[in-house]
């Protein structure tokens, strides 16, 4: 009988002991989780600072889980589901964690799921004993500007090489032919042509550089569009008449825009000059003006050679020529349309082109129309200041 109750007792004691072990294990796990959560918790204020940063910034823990990130870090695609997207960043963080020293690295990275590429300068540093702080400067725009500047300098060097070389060669030939008046006259005329081309190129380079340095138009006033159009026609009438090209304009519009009259005249005149330059003799160039959705549109249409579709997106690039041989023959600098684009952009507008080979081209400048109420208020304000 004694043995009969010993078995249940032993089972009861075993169950109590087992339950105690289970309770202890659960308690230990909870303690470990609590300690882990406590260790994962960032120092006071760090998360708030990271959240307000304008630059990309993230904080990662020992498992490389992102525990804090600035909005910009998400925008540029550095973090997805609390993980660093790019292996290069993981390697940078691990390197800092191993060495204990700060590190910097410039990386070219794709932006999220898009094909766009960004250039970012990263800095990584230890944050306490557990975390690594990773910050970045977006270098994409500055890198693009540097590339544009390098291309511009390279293009200038290439474009200047031709007229300078021609002038030097003609000068040498002129000296050698000093005793031959006919050759002297011939080479002197060619020398004048090349020097004029060099002068035109230098002028356009200076003008374009000046336009690119302007954020807004320096002198802005209400300008009559009809006067701009007529001035552009007058500037090109002699060249057009020499080739029997008729410049035809629509009736006066009496529309007005805000801006710099001299710059706007340069833009429209450049379009007219291009239309005349690339049109066959005995044809017409048309100018039209109209109001459209708060903008004033100035169109220049020719019956020239036209522009292939593949070149339409590039005609406003500096030094870009659809037909380099033809441009050299006509004395073009390759900067006229780039100047037009910058002038119009500085006036808050844009320039568009339609063209088909063999059917001609139409360039359209769109500039915001002057608001009579706003312009009159501006004039009254200026008068008050002057008085």
């Amino acid at each position: 009988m004694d043995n009969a109750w010993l078995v249940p007792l032993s089972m009861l004691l075993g169950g109590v002991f087992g339950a105690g072990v289970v309770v202890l294990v659960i308690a230990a796990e909870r303690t470990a989780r609590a300690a882990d959560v406590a260790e994962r918790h960032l120092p006071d204020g760090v998360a708030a600072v990271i959240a307000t940063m304008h630059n990309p910034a993230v904080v990662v823990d020992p498992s490389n889980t992102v525990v804090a990130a600035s909005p910009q870090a998400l925008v540029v695609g550095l973090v997805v589901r609390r993980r660093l997207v790019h292996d290069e960043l993981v390697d940078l963080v691990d390197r800092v964690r191993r060495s204990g020293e700060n590190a910097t690295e410039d990386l070219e990275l794709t932006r999220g799921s898009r094909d766009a590429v960004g250039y970012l300068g990263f800095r990584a540093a230890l944050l306490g004993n557990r975390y690594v702080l990773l910050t970045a400067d977006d270098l994409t725009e500055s890198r693009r500007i540097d590339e544009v500047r390098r291309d511009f300098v390279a293009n200038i060097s290439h474009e200047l090489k031709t007229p300078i070389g021609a002038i030097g060669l003609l000068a040498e030939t002129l000296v050698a032919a000093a005793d031959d008046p006919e050759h002297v006259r011939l080479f002197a005329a060619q020398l004048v042509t090349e020097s004029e081309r060099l002068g035109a190129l230098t002028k356009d380079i200076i003008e374009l550089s000046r336009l690119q340095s302007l954020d807004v138009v320096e002198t802005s006033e209400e300008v009559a569009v009809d006067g701009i159009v007529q001035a552009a026609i007058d500037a090109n009438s002699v060249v057009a008449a020499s080739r029997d090209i008729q410049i035809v304009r629509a009736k006066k519009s009496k529309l007005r825009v805000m801006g710099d009259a001299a710059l706007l005249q340069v833009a429209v005149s450049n379009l007219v000059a291009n239309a005349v330059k690339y049109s066959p003799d005995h044809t017409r160039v048309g100018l039209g003006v109209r109001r459209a959705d708060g903008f004033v549109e100035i169109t220049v249409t020719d019956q020239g050679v036209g522009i292939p579709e593949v070149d339409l997106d590039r005609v406003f690039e500096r030094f870009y020529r659809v037909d380099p041989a033809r441009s050299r023959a006509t004395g073009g600098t390759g900067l006229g349309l780039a100047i037009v684009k910058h002038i119009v952009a500085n006036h808050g507008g844009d320039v568009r082109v339609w063209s088909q080979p063999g059917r001609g081209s139409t360039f359209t400048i769109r500039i915001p129309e002057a608001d009579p109420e706003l312009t009159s208020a501006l004039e009254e304000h200026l008068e008050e200041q002057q008085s």
Side-chain angles (χ1 to χ4, degrees), residues 89-105:
L89 299 183
V90 176
D91 294 340
L92 179 61
V93 168
D94 289 343
R95 189 164 72 244
V96 169
R97 190 175 284 119
R98 287 193 304 268
S99 67
E101 298 179 355
N102 298 349
T104 61
E105 189 169 351

Side-chain angles (χ1 to χ4, degrees), residues 112-287:
S113 61
R114 294 169 291 179
D115 295 331
V117 174
Y119 302 93
L120 296 102
F122 290 94
R123 294 180 299 277
L126 289 175
L127 185 64
N129 296 324
R130 286 179 50 84
Y131 304 102
V132 174
L133 171 64
L134 185 67
T135 61
D137 292 320
D138 195 338
L139 308 175
T140 305
E141 183 62 16
S142 61
R143 183 74 66 92
R144 186 192 68 81
I145 292 173
D146 286 341
E147 290 177 355
V148 168
R149 186 180 295 113
R150 284 196 299 269
D151 290 343
F152 191 31
V153 172
N155 287 333
I156 289 175
S157 301
H158 176 75
E159 294 295 330
L160 290 175
K161 198 178 296 181
T162 300
I164 290 175
I167 289 173
L169 182 61
L170 285 169
E172 293 176 3
T173 307
L174 195 59
V175 171
D179 297 331
D180 188 339
E182 183 177 350
H183 282 85
V184 167
R185 284 193 296 270
L186 174 63
F187 295 138
Q190 293 178 351
L191 190 60
V192 170
T193 299
E194 291 298 332
S195 64
E196 289 176 347
R197 178 178 299 179
L198 180 59
L201 178 58
T202 304
K203 176 178 173 292
D204 282 352
I205 289 172
I206 294 172
E207 181 69 15
L208 183 58
S209 299
R210 186 177 73 86
L211 289 170
Q212 289 178 313
S213 67
L214 294 177
D215 292 328
V216 294
V217 178
E218 292 177 337
T219 57
S220 184
E221 59 184 0
E222 193 171 319
V223 179
V225 175
D226 292 330
I228 296 297
V229 170
Q230 188 59 50
I233 293 174
D234 294 341
N236 293 278
S237 59
V238 174
V239 175
S242 68
R243 297 177 49 206
D244 192 25
I245 295 176
Q246 186 181 7
I247 302 179
V248 181
R249 62 167 296 177
K251 64 180 181 179
K252 293 185 177 182
S253 65
K254 298 183 180 180
L255 295 175
R256 305 176 77 84
V257 296
M258 291 296 294
D260 186 310
L263 287 178
L264 291 172
Q265 180 183 332
V266 168
V268 179
S269 183
N270 279 1
L271 290 185
V272 176
N274 260 20
V276 171
K277 187 183 302 180
Y278 294 106
S279 291
D281 295 350
H282 320 297
T283 56
R284 300 172 65 182
V285 170
L287 276 86

